[in-house]
Coordinates of all heavy atoms in Angstrom, one line a residue:
M1 N 32.9 28.7 44.9 CA 31.8 28.4 44.0 C 31.9 29.3 42.8 O 31.9 30.5 43.0 CB 30.4 28.4 44.8 CG 29.4 27.9 44.0 SD 27.9 28.0 45.1 CE 27.3 26.5 44.8
T2 N 31.8 28.8 41.7 CA 31.8 29.6 40.4 C 30.3 29.6 39.8 O 29.5 28.6 39.9 CB 32.7 29.1 39.4 OG1 32.4 27.8 39.1 CG2 34.1 29.1 40.0
S3 N 30.0 30.7 39.3 CA 28.7 30.8 38.6 C 28.9 30.8 37.2 O 29.9 31.5 36.7 CB 27.9 32.0 39.2 OG 28.5 33.2 38.9
S4 N 28.0 30.4 36.4 CA 28.1 30.4 34.9 C 27.0 31.4 34.4 O 26.0 31.4 34.9 CB 28.0 29.0 34.2 OG 26.7 28.5 34.5
S5 N 27.6 32.2 33.5 CA 26.5 33.0 32.8 C 25.9 32.4 31.7 O 26.4 31.4 31.1 CB 27.3 34.3 32.5 OG 28.3 33.9 31.4
P6 N 24.7 32.8 31.3 CA 24.0 32.1 30.1 C 24.9 32.2 28.9 O 24.7 31.4 28.1 CB 22.7 33.1 29.9 CG 22.5 33.7 31.2 CD 24.0 33.8 31.9
S7 N 25.8 33.1 28.8 CA 26.5 33.2 27.5 C 27.6 32.1 27.4 O 28.0 31.7 26.3 CB 27.2 34.5 27.3 OG 27.9 34.8 28.5
S8 N 27.9 31.5 28.6 CA 29.0 30.5 28.6 C 28.4 29.1 28.6 O 29.2 28.1 28.4 CB 29.9 30.7 29.8 OG 29.3 30.5 31.0
S9 N 27.0 29.0 28.6 CA 26.4 27.5 28.6 C 26.4 27.0 27.3 O 26.3 27.9 26.3 CB 25.0 27.7 29.2 OG 24.8 28.5 30.2
T10 N 26.4 25.8 27.2 CA 26.4 25.1 25.8 C 24.9 25.0 25.6 O 24.2 24.4 26.3 CB 27.1 23.8 25.9 OG1 28.5 24.0 26.2 CG2 27.0 23.1 24.5
L11 N 24.6 25.4 24.4 CA 23.1 25.3 24.0 C 23.1 24.1 22.9 O 24.0 24.0 22.0 CB 22.5 26.5 23.4 CG 22.4 27.7 24.3 CD1 22.0 28.9 23.4 CD2 21.4 27.5 25.4
L12 N 22.2 23.2 23.1 CA 21.9 22.2 22.0 C 21.0 22.6 21.0 O 19.9 23.1 21.3 CB 21.5 21.0 22.7 CG 22.3 20.2 23.7 CD1 21.6 19.0 24.4 CD2 23.6 19.9 23.1
E13 N 21.3 22.5 19.8 CA 20.4 22.9 18.8 C 19.5 21.7 18.3 O 20.1 20.6 18.2 CB 21.3 23.4 17.6 CG 21.9 24.8 17.8 CD 22.7 25.2 16.5 OE1 22.0 25.1 15.4 OE2 23.7 25.9 16.8
R14 N 18.4 22.0 18.1 CA 17.6 20.9 17.5 C 17.8 20.7 16.1 O 17.9 21.6 15.2 CB 16.0 21.4 17.6 CG 15.4 21.0 18.9 CD 13.9 21.1 18.7 NE 13.3 21.9 19.7 CZ 12.1 22.2 19.9 NH1 11.3 21.7 19.0 NH2 11.7 22.9 20.9
Q15 N 17.9 19.5 15.8 CA 18.1 19.0 14.5 C 16.7 18.6 13.8 O 16.0 17.8 14.4 CB 19.0 17.8 14.3 CG 20.5 18.2 14.6 CD 21.3 17.0 14.4 OE1 20.9 15.9 14.3 NE2 22.7 17.3 14.4
K16 N 16.6 19.2 12.6 CA 15.2 19.0 12.0 C 15.5 17.7 11.0 O 16.3 17.8 10.1 CB 14.8 20.2 11.2 CG 13.4 20.1 10.6 CD 13.1 21.4 9.8 CE 11.7 21.1 9.3 NZ 11.3 22.4 8.6
T17 N 14.8 16.7 11.3 CA 14.9 15.6 10.5 C 13.5 15.2 9.9 O 12.5 15.3 10.5 CB 15.4 14.2 11.2 OG1 14.5 14.0 12.2 CG2 16.8 14.5 11.8
T18 N 13.5 14.9 8.6 CA 12.2 14.5 7.9 C 12.3 13.1 7.6 O 13.3 12.6 7.0 CB 12.1 15.4 6.6 OG1 12.3 16.7 7.0 CG2 10.9 15.1 5.9
Q19 N 11.4 12.5 8.2 CA 11.3 11.0 7.9 C 10.1 10.8 7.0 O 9.0 11.3 7.2 CB 11.1 10.2 9.2 CG 12.3 10.2 9.9 CD 12.1 9.1 11.2 OE1 11.1 9.0 11.7 NE2 13.3 8.5 11.6
R20 N 10.2 10.0 5.9 CA 9.2 9.7 5.0 C 8.4 8.5 5.6 O 8.8 7.6 6.3 CB 9.9 9.1 3.8 CG 9.1 9.4 2.5 CD 9.8 9.1 1.3 NE 8.9 8.3 0.5 CZ 9.1 7.3 -0.3 NH1 10.4 6.9 -0.5 NH2 8.2 6.7 -1.0
Y21 N 7.0 8.9 5.4 CA 6.0 7.7 6.0 C 6.2 6.5 5.2 O 6.4 6.5 3.9 CB 4.6 8.3 5.8 CG 3.8 7.5 6.6 CD1 3.5 7.7 7.9 CD2 2.9 6.5 5.8 CE1 2.6 6.8 8.6 CE2 1.9 5.7 6.5 CZ 1.9 5.9 8.0 OH 1.0 5.1 8.6
P22 N 6.3 5.3 5.8 CA 6.5 4.1 5.1 C 5.3 3.8 4.1 O 4.2 4.1 4.4 CB 6.5 3.0 6.2 CG 6.1 3.6 7.4 CD 6.1 5.2 7.3
E23 N 5.7 3.3 2.9 CA 4.8 3.0 2.0 C 4.9 1.5 1.6 O 5.9 0.9 1.9 CB 5.0 3.8 0.6 CG 4.7 5.3 0.8 CD 4.6 6.1 -0.5 OE1 5.1 5.6 -1.5 OE2 4.0 7.2 -0.5
A24 N 3.9 1.0 0.9 CA 3.9 -0.5 0.6 C 3.1 -0.6 -0.7 O 2.2 0.2 -1.0 CB 3.3 -1.3 1.7
K25 N 3.3 -1.7 -1.3 CA 2.6 -2.1 -2.6 C 1.6 -3.2 -2.3 O 2.1 -4.1 -1.5 CB 3.6 -2.8 -3.6 CG 4.6 -1.7 -4.0 CD 5.6 -2.4 -5.1 CE 6.9 -1.9 -5.1 NZ 7.9 -2.7 -6.1
V26 N 0.5 -3.2 -2.8 CA -0.5 -4.2 -2.7 C -0.5 -5.1 -4.0 O -0.8 -4.5 -5.0 CB -1.9 -3.7 -2.4 CG1 -3.0 -4.8 -2.3 CG2 -1.9 -2.9 -1.1
I27 N -0.2 -6.4 -3.9 CA 0.0 -7.3 -5.1 C -1.0 -8.4 -4.9 O -0.9 -9.1 -4.0 CB 1.5 -7.7 -5.2 CG1 2.4 -6.5 -5.2 CG2 1.6 -8.6 -6.2 CD1 3.9 -6.8 -5.2
V28 N -1.7 -8.6 -6.0 CA -2.7 -9.7 -6.2 C -2.0 -10.7 -7.0 O -1.4 -10.5 -8.1 CB -4.0 -9.3 -6.7 CG1 -4.9 -10.5 -6.9 CG2 -4.7 -8.2 -5.8
L29 N -2.1 -12.0 -6.5 CA -1.4 -13.1 -7.3 C -2.5 -13.9 -8.0 O -3.7 -13.9 -7.7 CB -0.9 -14.2 -6.3 CG 0.3 -13.6 -5.4 CD1 0.7 -14.5 -4.4 CD2 1.5 -13.0 -6.3
D30 N -2.2 -14.6 -9.2 CA -3.0 -15.3 -9.8 C -3.3 -16.6 -9.2 O -2.5 -17.2 -8.4 CB -2.3 -15.7 -11.2 CG -3.2 -16.5 -12.2 OD1 -4.4 -16.2 -12.2 OD2 -2.6 -17.3 -13.0
D31 N -4.5 -17.2 -9.4 CA -4.8 -18.4 -8.8 C -5.9 -19.1 -9.7 O -6.2 -18.5 -10.6 CB -5.4 -18.3 -7.4 CG -6.6 -17.5 -7.3 OD1 -7.4 -17.5 -8.2 OD2 -6.9 -16.7 -6.3
D32 N -6.2 -20.3 -9.3 CA -7.1 -21.1 -10.2 C -8.6 -21.1 -9.6 O -9.4 -21.8 -10.0 CB -6.8 -22.5 -10.3 CG -5.5 -22.7 -11.1 OD1 -5.2 -21.8 -12.0 OD2 -4.7 -23.5 -10.9
V33 N -8.8 -20.2 -8.6 CA -10.1 -20.1 -7.9 C -11.0 -18.9 -8.3 O -12.2 -19.1 -8.6 CB -9.8 -20.0 -6.3 CG1 -11.1 -20.0 -5.6 CG2 -9.0 -21.2 -5.9
N34 N -10.4 -17.8 -8.4 CA -11.1 -16.6 -8.7 C -11.4 -16.3 -10.1 O -10.5 -16.4 -10.9 CB -10.4 -15.3 -8.0 CG -10.5 -15.4 -6.5 OD1 -11.5 -15.4 -5.9 ND2 -9.3 -15.6 -5.9
T35 N -12.6 -15.8 -10.5 CA -12.9 -15.5 -11.9 C -12.5 -14.1 -12.2 O -12.2 -13.3 -11.2 CB -14.5 -15.5 -12.1 OG1 -15.0 -14.6 -11.3 CG2 -14.9 -16.9 -11.8
F36 N -12.3 -13.7 -13.5 CA -12.0 -12.4 -13.8 C -12.9 -11.4 -13.2 O -12.6 -10.4 -12.6 CB -11.9 -12.2 -15.3 CG -10.6 -12.7 -16.0 CD1 -10.4 -14.1 -16.2 CD2 -9.7 -11.8 -16.4 CE1 -9.2 -14.5 -16.8 CE2 -8.5 -12.1 -16.9 CZ -8.2 -13.5 -17.2
Q37 N -14.1 -11.8 -13.3 CA -15.3 -10.8 -12.8 C -15.1 -10.6 -11.3 O -15.3 -9.5 -10.9 CB -16.7 -11.4 -13.2 CG -17.8 -10.5 -12.9 CD -17.8 -9.2 -13.7 OE1 -17.8 -9.4 -15.0 NE2 -17.7 -8.1 -13.2
H38 N -14.9 -11.6 -10.6 CA -14.7 -11.6 -9.1 C -13.5 -10.5 -8.8 O -13.7 -9.7 -7.9 CB -14.6 -12.9 -8.4 CG -14.4 -12.8 -7.0 ND1 -15.4 -12.2 -6.2 CD2 -13.4 -12.9 -6.1 CE1 -15.1 -12.2 -4.9 NE2 -13.8 -12.7 -4.8
V39 N -12.5 -10.7 -9.5 CA -11.2 -10.0 -9.2 C -11.6 -8.4 -9.5 O -11.3 -7.5 -8.7 CB -10.0 -10.3 -10.1 CG1 -8.9 -9.3 -9.9 CG2 -9.6 -11.8 -9.6
V40 N -12.2 -8.2 -10.6 CA -12.6 -6.9 -11.1 C -13.5 -6.2 -10.1 O -13.4 -5.0 -9.6 CB -13.3 -6.9 -12.5 CG1 -13.9 -5.6 -12.9 CG2 -12.2 -7.3 -13.5
D41 N -14.6 -7.0 -9.7 CA -15.6 -6.5 -8.8 C -14.8 -6.2 -7.4 O -15.1 -5.0 -6.8 CB -16.7 -7.5 -8.4 CG -17.6 -7.8 -9.7 OD1 -17.5 -6.9 -10.6 OD2 -18.3 -8.7 -9.7
C42 N -13.9 -7.0 -6.9 CA -13.2 -6.7 -5.7 C -12.3 -5.4 -5.8 O -12.4 -4.6 -4.9 CB -12.4 -7.9 -5.3 SG -13.3 -9.3 -4.8
L43 N -11.7 -5.4 -6.8 CA -10.8 -4.2 -7.1 C -11.6 -2.9 -7.1 O -11.3 -1.9 -6.5 CB -9.9 -4.3 -8.3 CG -8.8 -5.4 -8.3 CD1 -8.1 -5.5 -9.7 CD2 -7.8 -5.2 -7.3
R44 N -12.7 -3.0 -7.8 CA -13.5 -1.8 -7.9 C -14.1 -1.3 -6.6 O -14.3 -0.2 -6.2 CB -14.7 -2.0 -9.0 CG -13.9 -2.0 -10.4 CD -15.1 -2.0 -11.4 NE -15.6 -0.6 -11.3 CZ -16.8 -0.4 -11.8 NH1 -17.6 -1.3 -12.2 NH2 -17.3 0.9 -11.7
K45 N -14.5 -2.3 -5.8 CA -15.2 -2.1 -4.6 C -14.2 -1.7 -3.4 O -14.5 -0.7 -2.6 CB -15.8 -3.5 -4.0 CG -16.4 -3.4 -2.7 CD -17.3 -4.6 -2.4 CE -16.6 -5.5 -1.4 NZ -17.4 -6.7 -1.1
I46 N -12.9 -2.1 -3.5 CA -12.0 -1.9 -2.3 C -10.9 -0.7 -2.7 O -10.7 0.0 -1.9 CB -11.3 -3.2 -1.9 CG1 -12.3 -4.1 -1.3 CG2 -10.1 -3.0 -0.9 CD1 -12.0 -5.5 -1.1
I47 N -10.5 -0.8 -3.9 CA -9.3 0.1 -4.2 C -10.0 1.6 -4.7 O -10.7 1.6 -5.6 CB -8.4 -0.3 -5.4 CG1 -7.9 -1.7 -5.0 CG2 -7.3 0.7 -5.6 CD1 -6.9 -1.7 -3.7
P48 N -9.7 2.6 -3.9 CA -10.3 4.0 -4.3 C -9.9 4.5 -5.8 O -8.7 4.1 -6.1 CB -9.6 5.0 -3.3 CG -9.2 4.1 -2.2 CD -8.9 2.7 -2.8
G49 N -10.8 4.9 -6.5 CA -10.5 5.4 -7.7 C -10.3 4.5 -8.8 O -10.1 4.8 -9.9
M50 N -10.6 3.1 -8.6 CA -10.5 2.0 -9.6 C -11.6 2.0 -10.5 O -12.8 1.8 -10.1 CB -10.4 0.8 -8.9 CG -10.1 -0.4 -9.7 SD -8.6 -0.5 -10.5 CE -7.4 -0.7 -9.2
D51 N -11.4 2.3 -11.8 CA -12.5 2.2 -12.7 C -12.6 0.8 -13.4 O -11.7 0.0 -13.2 CB -12.4 3.3 -13.7 CG -11.2 3.2 -14.7 OD1 -10.7 2.2 -14.9 OD2 -10.8 4.3 -15.1
E52 N -13.6 0.5 -14.1 CA -13.7 -0.8 -14.6 C -12.6 -1.1 -15.6 O -12.1 -2.3 -15.6 CB -15.2 -0.9 -15.3 CG -15.5 -2.4 -15.6 CD -17.0 -2.7 -15.9 OE1 -17.8 -1.7 -15.7 OE2 -17.3 -3.8 -16.4
D53 N -12.2 -0.3 -16.4 CA -11.2 -0.6 -17.5 C -9.9 -0.9 -16.9 O -9.2 -1.9 -17.2 CB -11.1 0.7 -18.5 CG -12.1 0.8 -19.5 OD1 -12.9 -0.2 -19.6 OD2 -12.4 1.9 -20.0
K54 N -9.6 -0.1 -15.7 CA -8.2 -0.3 -15.1 C -8.2 -1.7 -14.4 O -7.4 -2.5 -14.4 CB -7.9 0.8 -14.1 CG -6.6 0.6 -13.4 CD -6.2 1.8 -12.7 CE -4.9 1.6 -12.0 NZ -4.4 2.8 -11.2
A55 N -9.4 -2.0 -13.7 CA -9.6 -3.2 -13.1 C -9.5 -4.4 -14.0 O -8.8 -5.4 -13.7 CB -11.0 -3.3 -12.3
W56 N -10.1 -4.3 -15.3 CA -10.0 -5.5 -16.1 C -8.6 -5.6 -16.6 O -8.1 -6.7 -16.9 CB -11.0 -5.1 -17.4 CG -12.3 -5.7 -17.1 CD1 -13.4 -4.9 -16.8 CD2 -12.8 -7.1 -17.0 NE1 -14.5 -5.8 -16.5 CE2 -14.2 -7.0 -16.6 CE3 -12.1 -8.3 -17.3 CZ2 -14.8 -8.3 -16.5 CZ3 -12.9 -9.4 -17.2 CH2 -14.3 -9.3 -16.7
G57 N -7.9 -4.5 -16.9 CA -6.5 -4.6 -17.3 C -5.6 -5.3 -16.2 O -4.8 -6.0 -16.5
L58 N -5.8 -4.9 -15.0 CA -5.1 -5.5 -13.8 C -5.5 -7.0 -13.8 O -4.6 -7.9 -13.6 CB -5.4 -4.8 -12.5 CG -4.7 -3.4 -12.4 CD1 -5.3 -2.7 -11.2 CD2 -3.2 -3.6 -12.3
A59 N -6.7 -7.5 -13.9 CA -7.1 -8.7 -13.9 C -6.5 -9.5 -15.0 O -5.9 -10.7 -14.8 CB -8.6 -8.9 -14.1
H60 N -6.3 -8.9 -16.2 CA -5.5 -9.7 -17.3 C -4.1 -9.8 -17.0 O -3.3 -10.8 -17.3 CB -5.8 -9.0 -18.6 CG -7.1 -9.3 -19.2 ND1 -7.6 -10.5 -19.8 CD2 -8.4 -8.5 -19.2 CE1 -8.8 -10.5 -20.2 NE2 -9.3 -9.3 -19.8
R61 N -3.6 -8.7 -16.4 CA -2.1 -8.8 -16.0 C -1.8 -9.8 -15.0 O -0.9 -10.6 -15.1 CB -1.7 -7.4 -15.5 CG -0.2 -7.4 -15.2 CD 0.4 -6.2 -14.8 NE 0.3 -5.1 -15.9 CZ 0.1 -3.8 -15.6 NH1 0.0 -3.3 -14.4 NH2 -0.2 -3.0 -16.5
I62 N -2.7 -10.0 -14.0 CA -2.6 -10.9 -13.0 C -2.6 -12.4 -13.5 O -1.8 -13.2 -13.3 CB -3.8 -10.8 -12.0 CG1 -3.6 -9.7 -11.1 CG2 -3.8 -12.0 -11.0 CD1 -4.8 -9.2 -10.3
D63 N -3.6 -12.5 -14.5 CA -3.7 -13.9 -15.2 C -2.5 -14.0 -16.1 O -1.9 -15.3 -16.1 CB -4.9 -13.9 -16.1 CG -5.2 -15.2 -16.7 OD1 -5.2 -16.2 -16.0 OD2 -5.3 -15.3 -17.9
G64 N -2.0 -13.1 -16.9 CA -0.9 -13.3 -17.8 C 0.5 -13.4 -17.3 O 1.3 -14.1 -17.6
E65 N 0.7 -12.6 -16.2 CA 2.0 -12.4 -15.6 C 2.2 -13.1 -14.3 O 3.2 -13.1 -13.7 CB 2.4 -11.0 -15.5 CG 2.5 -10.2 -16.8 CD 2.8 -8.8 -16.8 OE1 3.3 -8.3 -15.7 OE2 2.5 -8.1 -17.6
G66 N 1.1 -13.5 -13.7 CA 1.2 -14.2 -12.4 C 0.8 -13.3 -11.2 O 0.6 -13.8 -10.0
S67 N 0.9 -11.9 -11.4 CA 0.7 -11.1 -10.3 C 0.5 -9.6 -10.9 O 1.0 -9.4 -12.1 CB 1.8 -11.1 -9.3 OG 3.1 -10.6 -9.8
A68 N 0.0 -8.7 -10.2 CA 0.0 -7.3 -10.5 C -0.1 -6.5 -9.2 O -0.8 -6.8 -8.2 CB -1.2 -7.0 -11.5
E69 N 0.6 -5.3 -9.3 CA 0.6 -4.3 -8.2 C -0.8 -3.6 -8.5 O -0.9 -2.9 -9.5 CB 1.7 -3.3 -8.3 CG 1.6 -2.3 -7.3 CD 2.8 -1.3 -7.4 OE1 3.9 -1.7 -7.7 OE2 2.5 0.0 -7.4
V70 N -1.7 -3.7 -7.5 CA -3.0 -3.0 -7.6 C -3.1 -1.6 -6.9 O -4.1 -1.0 -7.3 CB -4.1 -4.0 -7.3 CG1 -4.2 -5.2 -8.2 CG2 -4.1 -4.3 -5.8
W71 N -2.2 -1.4 -6.1 CA -2.2 -0.1 -5.3 C -0.8 0.0 -4.6 O -0.2 -0.9 -4.3 CB -3.3 -0.1 -4.2 CG -3.6 1.1 -3.7 CD1 -4.4 2.2 -4.2 CD2 -3.0 1.7 -2.4 NE1 -4.4 3.3 -3.3 CE2 -3.6 3.0 -2.2 CE3 -2.2 1.2 -1.5 CZ2 -3.3 3.8 -1.2 CZ3 -1.9 2.0 -0.4 CH2 -2.5 3.2 -0.3
R72 N -0.5 1.3 -4.5 CA 0.8 1.7 -3.7 C 0.5 2.9 -3.0 O -0.1 3.9 -3.6 CB 1.9 1.9 -4.9 CG 3.2 2.4 -4.1 CD 4.1 2.9 -5.2 NE 4.6 1.7 -6.1 CZ 5.8 1.5 -6.4 NH1 6.8 2.1 -5.9 NH2 6.1 0.4 -7.2
G73 N 1.0 3.1 -1.8 CA 0.8 4.1 -0.9 C 1.2 4.0 0.5 O 1.9 2.9 0.8
P74 N 0.5 4.9 1.3 CA 0.9 4.8 2.8 C 0.6 3.3 3.3 O -0.4 2.6 3.0 CB -0.1 5.8 3.4 CG -0.3 6.8 2.4 CD -0.3 5.9 1.1
L75 N 1.6 2.9 4.1 CA 1.5 1.5 4.8 C 0.2 1.1 5.3 O -0.4 0.1 5.1 CB 2.6 1.3 5.7 CG 2.7 0.0 6.5 CD1 2.9 -1.2 5.4 CD2 3.9 0.0 7.5
E76 N -0.5 2.0 6.2 CA -1.6 1.8 6.9 C -2.7 1.6 5.9 O -3.5 0.5 6.1 CB -2.0 2.9 7.9 CG -1.2 2.9 9.1 CD -1.7 3.9 10.2 OE1 -2.7 4.3 10.0 OE2 -0.7 4.4 11.0
Q77 N -2.8 2.2 4.9 CA -3.9 2.0 3.9 C -3.7 0.8 3.2 O -4.6 0.0 2.8 CB -4.0 3.3 2.8 CG -4.6 4.5 3.5 CD -4.6 5.6 2.5 OE1 -3.6 6.2 2.4 NE2 -5.7 5.7 1.8
A78 N -2.3 0.5 2.8 CA -2.0 -0.7 2.1 C -2.4 -2.0 2.9 O -2.9 -2.9 2.5 CB -0.5 -0.8 1.8
E79 N -2.1 -1.9 4.2 CA -2.6 -3.0 5.1 C -4.0 -3.2 5.0 O -4.5 -4.3 4.9 CB -2.1 -2.7 6.6 CG -0.7 -2.8 6.7 CD -0.1 -2.3 8.1 OE1 -0.9 -1.5 8.7 OE2 1.0 -2.8 8.6
L80 N -4.8 -2.2 5.1 CA -6.3 -2.2 5.1 C -6.7 -2.8 3.6 O -7.6 -3.8 3.7 CB -6.9 -0.9 5.1 CG -8.5 -0.8 5.0 CD1 -9.1 -1.7 6.1 CD2 -8.9 0.6 5.1
Y81 N -6.3 -2.3 2.5 CA -6.7 -2.8 1.2 C -6.4 -4.4 1.2 O -7.0 -5.2 0.5 CB -6.2 -2.0 0.2 CG -6.6 -0.6 0.3 CD1 -5.7 0.5 -0.3 CD2 -7.8 -0.2 0.7 CE1 -6.2 1.7 -0.3 CE2 -8.2 1.1 0.8 CZ -7.4 2.1 0.3 OH -7.6 3.5 0.4
H82 N -5.0 -4.6 1.6 CA -4.5 -6.0 1.4 C -5.5 -7.0 2.3 O -5.9 -8.0 1.7 CB -3.1 -6.0 2.1 CG -2.4 -7.5 2.0 ND1 -2.7 -8.3 2.9 CD2 -1.6 -7.9 1.0 CE1 -1.9 -9.3 2.6 NE2 -1.3 -9.2 1.5
Q83 N -5.8 -6.6 3.4 CA -6.7 -7.4 4.2 C -8.1 -7.6 3.7 O -8.7 -8.8 3.7 CB -6.8 -6.9 5.7 CG -7.8 -7.6 6.7 CD -7.9 -6.9 7.9 OE1 -7.7 -5.7 8.2 NE2 -8.3 -7.7 8.9
Q84 N -8.6 -6.4 3.2 CA -9.9 -6.5 2.5 C -10.0 -7.5 1.2 O -11.0 -8.1 1.1 CB -10.4 -5.1 2.1 CG -10.8 -4.2 3.4 CD -11.2 -2.8 3.1 OE1 -10.6 -2.2 2.2 NE2 -12.1 -2.3 3.8
L85 N -8.9 -7.2 0.4 CA -8.9 -8.0 -0.8 C -8.8 -9.6 -0.3 O -9.4 -10.4 -1.0 CB -7.8 -7.6 -1.7 CG -8.0 -6.3 -2.4 CD1 -6.7 -5.8 -3.0 CD2 -9.1 -6.3 -3.3
Q86 N -8.0 -9.8 0.6 CA -7.8 -11.2 1.0 C -9.1 -11.7 1.7 O -9.5 -13.0 1.5 CB -6.7 -11.2 2.1 CG -6.2 -12.6 2.4 CD -4.8 -12.7 3.2 OE1 -4.6 -11.7 4.0 NE2 -4.0 -13.5 2.9
T87 N -9.8 -11.0 2.3 CA -11.1 -11.3 3.0 C -12.1 -11.7 1.8 O -13.0 -12.6 2.0 CB -11.7 -10.2 3.8 OG1 -10.7 -10.1 5.0 CG2 -13.0 -10.6 4.4
E88 N -12.0 -11.0 0.8 CA -12.9 -11.4 -0.5 C -12.4 -12.7 -1.1 O -13.1 -13.0 -2.1 CB -12.9 -10.2 -1.3 CG -13.5 -8.9 -0.8 CD -15.0 -9.0 -0.7 OE1 -15.7 -9.9 -1.4 OE2 -15.7 -8.3 0.0
G89 N -11.3 -13.1 -0.7 CA -10.9 -14.5 -1.3 C -9.8 -14.4 -2.4 O -9.4 -15.4 -2.9
L90 N -9.2 -13.2 -2.7 CA -8.3 -13.0 -3.5 C -6.9 -13.6 -2.9 O -6.7 -13.5 -1.7 CB -8.0 -11.6 -4.1 CG -9.2 -10.9 -4.7 CD1 -8.6 -9.5 -5.3 CD2 -9.8 -11.8 -5.8
T91 N -6.0 -14.1 -3.7 CA -4.8 -14.6 -3.4 C -3.7 -13.4 -3.3 O -3.6 -12.8 -4.3 CB -4.4 -15.8 -4.2 OG1 -5.2 -16.7 -4.2 CG2 -2.9 -16.3 -3.8
M92 N -3.2 -13.1 -2.2 CA -2.4 -11.9 -2.0 C -0.9 -12.3 -1.7 O -0.7 -13.2 -0.9 CB -2.9 -11.2 -0.8 CG -4.4 -10.7 -0.9 SD -4.8 -9.7 -2.4 CE -3.9 -8.3 -2.0
A93 N -0.1 -11.5 -2.3 CA 1.4 -11.6 -1.9 C 1.6 -10.9 -0.7 O 0.8 -10.0 -0.3 CB 2.3 -10.9 -3.0
P94 N 2.6 -11.2 0.1 CA 2.8 -10.3 1.3 C 3.0 -8.8 1.0 O 3.4 -8.5 -0.2 CB 4.1 -11.0 2.0 CG 4.3 -12.3 1.3 CD 3.5 -12.2 -0.1
L95 N 2.7 -8.0 1.9 CA 2.8 -6.6 1.6 C 4.3 -6.3 1.2 O 5.2 -6.8 1.9 CB 2.4 -5.7 2.8 CG 1.0 -5.4 2.9 CD1 0.7 -4.5 4.1 CD2 0.5 -4.6 1.6
D96 N 4.6 -5.6 0.2 CA 6.0 -5.2 -0.3 C 6.2 -3.7 0.0 O 5.6 -2.9 -0.6 CB 6.0 -5.4 -1.7 CG 7.4 -5.4 -2.3 OD1 8.3 -5.2 -1.5 OD2 7.6 -5.2 -3.6
R97 N 7.1 -3.5 1.1 CA 7.3 -2.2 1.5 C 8.2 -1.6 0.4 O 9.1 -2.2 -0.2 CB 8.1 -2.1 2.8 CG 7.1 -2.4 4.0 CD 7.9 -2.2 5.3 NE 6.9 -1.6 6.2 CZ 7.2 -1.1 7.4 NH1 8.4 -1.1 7.8 NH2 6.3 -0.8 8.3
C98 N 8.0 -0.3 0.1 CA 8.8 0.4 -0.9 C 9.5 1.7 -0.2 O 9.1 2.0 0.8 CB 8.1 0.8 -2.2 SG 6.3 1.3 -2.0

């Protein structure tokens, strides 16, 4: 029977890997149902830090271009804002992971 000493054993080194937390974009689509005021009110109520001027600018972009990214960040928060905006009646694009 042979014995092995600690110096002859193979040690596995831990590899440090950094994984980026998944992010997503929340995109509102243009429709013929919601008014500018409703879109602005929803954005201000749901999206943190959204001021009135930015909300109006996004509402005009949604109308003029057919859609606008209204928020980007961690996936879980994006899912929440997406669901809340949809519940308010806004027409939403599927979450766009980035």
Side-chain angles (χ1 to χ4, degrees):
M1 190 175 222
T2 61
S3 65
S4 62
S5 66
S7 62
S8 66
S9 326
T10 304
L11 297 176
L12 297 176
E13 290 185 33
R14 269 197 231 182
Q15 289 184 345
K16 187 176 181 180
T17 58
T18 304
Q19 288 186 331
R20 209 172 134 215
Y21 191 81
E23 292 194 342
K25 300 179 209 175
V26 177
I27 299 171
V28 177
L29 302 175
D30 186 30
D31 61 31
D32 294 329
V33 178
N34 292 293
T35 64
F36 277 81
Q37 188 65 59
H38 181 66
V39 172
V40 168
D41 291 343
C42 290
L43 292 176
R44 292 191 68 211
K45 180 169 102 174
I46 293 167
I47 305 296
M50 181 68 64
D51 64 32
E52 190 161 352
D53 288 340
K54 185 172 181 181
W56 277 103
L58 287 167
H60 283 286
R61 184 176 301 150
I62 292 164
D63 183 57
E65 297 177 19
S67 67
E69 178 185 317
V70 298
W71 192 84
R72 176 191 298 232
L75 179 60
E76 286 182 21
Q77 284 178 277
E79 290 171 335
L80 174 64
Y81 301 149
H82 184 275
Q83 180 183 20
Q84 290 174 325
L85 290 168
Q86 194 166 35
T87 298
E88 291 289 337
L90 299 189
T91 303
M92 305 299 297
L95 277 177
D96 185 10
R97 287 185 148 195
C98 33

